[in-house]
Short mmCIF file of all heavy atoms in Angstrom, two decimals:
data_model
loop_
_atom_site.label_atom_id
_atom_site.label_comp_id
_atom_site.label_asym_id
_atom_site.label_seq_id
_atom_site.Cartn_x
_atom_site.Cartn_y
_atom_site.Cartn_z
N SER A 217 -45.92 15.20 -9.46
CA SER A 217 -45.68 13.76 -9.36
C SER A 217 -45.30 13.35 -7.94
O SER A 217 -45.72 12.31 -7.44
CB SER A 217 -44.57 13.35 -10.33
OG SER A 217 -44.95 13.63 -11.66
N GLY A 218 -44.50 14.19 -7.26
CA GLY A 218 -44.09 13.87 -5.90
C GLY A 218 -45.24 13.87 -4.92
O GLY A 218 -45.33 13.01 -4.04
N ARG A 219 -46.16 14.83 -5.06
CA ARG A 219 -47.32 14.88 -4.19
C ARG A 219 -48.24 13.69 -4.43
O ARG A 219 -48.76 13.08 -3.48
CB ARG A 219 -48.09 16.18 -4.41
CG ARG A 219 -47.37 17.44 -4.02
CD ARG A 219 -47.18 17.54 -2.53
NE ARG A 219 -46.75 18.88 -2.13
CZ ARG A 219 -46.13 19.15 -1.01
NH1 ARG A 219 -45.83 18.18 -0.16
NH2 ARG A 219 -45.78 20.39 -0.71
N LEU A 220 -48.46 13.34 -5.69
CA LEU A 220 -49.30 12.19 -6.02
C LEU A 220 -48.66 10.90 -5.49
O LEU A 220 -49.36 10.01 -4.98
CB LEU A 220 -49.51 12.11 -7.53
CG LEU A 220 -50.34 13.25 -8.14
CD1 LEU A 220 -50.28 13.19 -9.65
CD2 LEU A 220 -51.79 13.19 -7.67
N TYR A 221 -47.36 10.80 -5.62
CA TYR A 221 -46.63 9.64 -5.10
C TYR A 221 -46.88 9.48 -3.61
O TYR A 221 -47.16 8.37 -3.12
CB TYR A 221 -45.15 9.81 -5.40
CG TYR A 221 -44.21 8.99 -4.55
CD1 TYR A 221 -44.06 7.63 -4.77
CD2 TYR A 221 -43.47 9.59 -3.53
CE1 TYR A 221 -43.19 6.87 -3.98
CE2 TYR A 221 -42.60 8.85 -2.75
CZ TYR A 221 -42.47 7.48 -2.98
OH TYR A 221 -41.61 6.75 -2.20
N ARG A 222 -46.80 10.57 -2.86
CA ARG A 222 -47.04 10.51 -1.42
C ARG A 222 -48.47 10.07 -1.11
O ARG A 222 -48.71 9.29 -0.17
CB ARG A 222 -46.77 11.88 -0.80
CG ARG A 222 -45.31 12.29 -0.78
CD ARG A 222 -44.50 11.42 0.16
NE ARG A 222 -43.11 11.88 0.26
CZ ARG A 222 -42.16 11.18 0.84
NH1 ARG A 222 -42.42 10.00 1.36
NH2 ARG A 222 -40.93 11.66 0.89
N GLN A 223 -49.41 10.57 -1.87
CA GLN A 223 -50.81 10.18 -1.65
C GLN A 223 -51.00 8.69 -1.89
O GLN A 223 -51.71 8.01 -1.13
CB GLN A 223 -51.73 10.99 -2.55
CG GLN A 223 -51.81 12.46 -2.17
CD GLN A 223 -52.86 13.19 -2.96
OE1 GLN A 223 -53.82 12.59 -3.43
NE2 GLN A 223 -52.69 14.49 -3.12
N ILE A 224 -50.39 8.19 -2.95
CA ILE A 224 -50.51 6.76 -3.25
C ILE A 224 -49.84 5.94 -2.15
O ILE A 224 -50.36 4.90 -1.72
CB ILE A 224 -49.89 6.46 -4.63
CG1 ILE A 224 -50.74 7.13 -5.72
CG2 ILE A 224 -49.81 4.95 -4.87
CD1 ILE A 224 -50.08 7.14 -7.09
N GLN A 225 -48.69 6.39 -1.68
CA GLN A 225 -48.03 5.73 -0.56
C GLN A 225 -48.95 5.58 0.65
O GLN A 225 -48.91 4.58 1.36
CB GLN A 225 -46.80 6.54 -0.12
CG GLN A 225 -45.50 6.16 -0.76
CD GLN A 225 -44.35 6.82 -0.01
OE1 GLN A 225 -44.41 8.00 0.35
NE2 GLN A 225 -43.30 6.06 0.22
N HIS A 226 -49.78 6.59 0.87
CA HIS A 226 -50.67 6.60 2.03
C HIS A 226 -52.05 6.06 1.71
O HIS A 226 -53.00 6.30 2.47
CB HIS A 226 -50.76 8.03 2.58
CG HIS A 226 -49.50 8.48 3.26
ND1 HIS A 226 -48.49 9.14 2.58
CD2 HIS A 226 -49.07 8.36 4.54
CE1 HIS A 226 -47.51 9.41 3.43
NE2 HIS A 226 -47.83 8.93 4.62
N GLY A 227 -52.18 5.35 0.60
CA GLY A 227 -53.40 4.61 0.33
C GLY A 227 -54.45 5.30 -0.50
O GLY A 227 -55.60 4.84 -0.55
N ALA A 228 -54.11 6.41 -1.17
CA ALA A 228 -55.09 7.07 -2.04
C ALA A 228 -55.57 6.08 -3.10
O ALA A 228 -54.77 5.33 -3.67
CB ALA A 228 -54.47 8.29 -2.70
N PRO A 229 -56.88 6.05 -3.37
CA PRO A 229 -57.46 4.99 -4.22
C PRO A 229 -57.29 5.23 -5.72
O PRO A 229 -58.27 5.36 -6.46
CB PRO A 229 -58.93 5.03 -3.81
CG PRO A 229 -59.18 6.46 -3.47
CD PRO A 229 -57.91 6.94 -2.81
N PHE A 230 -56.05 5.29 -6.19
CA PHE A 230 -55.79 5.41 -7.62
C PHE A 230 -55.52 4.05 -8.22
O PHE A 230 -54.96 3.17 -7.56
CB PHE A 230 -54.60 6.34 -7.87
CG PHE A 230 -54.84 7.77 -7.49
CD1 PHE A 230 -54.11 8.35 -6.46
CD2 PHE A 230 -55.78 8.53 -8.15
CE1 PHE A 230 -54.32 9.67 -6.10
CE2 PHE A 230 -56.02 9.85 -7.79
CZ PHE A 230 -55.29 10.42 -6.76
N ASP A 231 -55.91 3.90 -9.48
CA ASP A 231 -55.66 2.65 -10.21
C ASP A 231 -54.39 2.72 -11.05
O ASP A 231 -53.72 1.71 -11.25
CB ASP A 231 -56.85 2.32 -11.12
CG ASP A 231 -58.15 2.19 -10.34
OD1 ASP A 231 -58.16 1.45 -9.34
OD2 ASP A 231 -59.14 2.85 -10.71
N VAL A 232 -54.09 3.91 -11.58
CA VAL A 232 -52.86 4.09 -12.36
C VAL A 232 -52.23 5.42 -11.97
O VAL A 232 -52.91 6.36 -11.53
CB VAL A 232 -53.10 4.05 -13.89
CG1 VAL A 232 -53.70 2.72 -14.30
CG2 VAL A 232 -54.01 5.18 -14.32
N PHE A 233 -50.93 5.50 -12.15
CA PHE A 233 -50.16 6.70 -11.82
C PHE A 233 -49.33 7.06 -13.03
O PHE A 233 -48.52 6.26 -13.52
CB PHE A 233 -49.26 6.41 -10.61
CG PHE A 233 -48.30 7.50 -10.25
CD1 PHE A 233 -48.64 8.84 -10.34
CD2 PHE A 233 -47.02 7.18 -9.77
CE1 PHE A 233 -47.75 9.85 -9.98
CE2 PHE A 233 -46.12 8.17 -9.40
CZ PHE A 233 -46.48 9.51 -9.51
N LEU A 234 -49.51 8.28 -13.55
CA LEU A 234 -48.74 8.79 -14.68
C LEU A 234 -47.84 9.90 -14.18
O LEU A 234 -48.30 10.99 -13.84
CB LEU A 234 -49.68 9.33 -15.77
CG LEU A 234 -50.73 8.36 -16.29
CD1 LEU A 234 -51.59 9.02 -17.36
CD2 LEU A 234 -50.08 7.10 -16.85
N SER A 235 -46.56 9.62 -14.10
CA SER A 235 -45.59 10.54 -13.53
C SER A 235 -44.85 11.31 -14.61
O SER A 235 -44.73 10.85 -15.75
CB SER A 235 -44.60 9.76 -12.66
OG SER A 235 -43.57 10.59 -12.17
N ALA A 236 -44.32 12.49 -14.24
CA ALA A 236 -43.51 13.27 -15.16
C ALA A 236 -42.08 12.77 -15.27
O ALA A 236 -41.30 13.28 -16.07
CB ALA A 236 -43.53 14.74 -14.77
N ASP A 237 -41.72 11.79 -14.45
CA ASP A 237 -40.44 11.11 -14.63
C ASP A 237 -40.56 9.68 -14.11
O ASP A 237 -41.62 9.27 -13.63
CB ASP A 237 -39.28 11.87 -13.96
CG ASP A 237 -39.28 11.78 -12.44
OD1 ASP A 237 -40.23 11.18 -11.86
OD2 ASP A 237 -38.34 12.29 -11.82
N GLU A 238 -39.47 8.92 -14.21
CA GLU A 238 -39.52 7.52 -13.82
C GLU A 238 -39.28 7.30 -12.33
O GLU A 238 -39.60 6.22 -11.80
CB GLU A 238 -38.46 6.73 -14.60
CG GLU A 238 -38.70 6.65 -16.09
CD GLU A 238 -37.67 5.79 -16.78
OE1 GLU A 238 -36.62 5.50 -16.17
OE2 GLU A 238 -37.91 5.37 -17.92
N THR A 239 -38.75 8.28 -11.65
CA THR A 239 -38.31 8.09 -10.26
C THR A 239 -39.44 7.62 -9.35
O THR A 239 -39.31 6.62 -8.63
CB THR A 239 -37.71 9.39 -9.71
OG1 THR A 239 -36.63 9.80 -10.54
CG2 THR A 239 -37.22 9.19 -8.28
N PHE A 240 -40.54 8.34 -9.36
CA PHE A 240 -41.61 8.03 -8.42
C PHE A 240 -42.33 6.72 -8.73
O PHE A 240 -42.61 5.94 -7.81
CB PHE A 240 -42.59 9.21 -8.34
CG PHE A 240 -41.97 10.46 -7.80
CD1 PHE A 240 -41.78 11.58 -8.61
CD2 PHE A 240 -41.54 10.53 -6.48
CE1 PHE A 240 -41.19 12.73 -8.11
CE2 PHE A 240 -40.94 11.68 -5.97
CZ PHE A 240 -40.77 12.78 -6.79
#
Side-chain angles (χ1 to χ4, degrees):
S217 299
R219 295 292 192 202
L220 293 170
Y221 160 75
R222 290 292 185 191
Q223 291 188 25
I224 294 168
Q225 268 193 317
H226 289 90
F230 294 115
D231 302 309
V232 300
F233 174 38
L234 304 180
S235 175
D237 74 356
E238 294 184 344
T239 302
F240 296 112

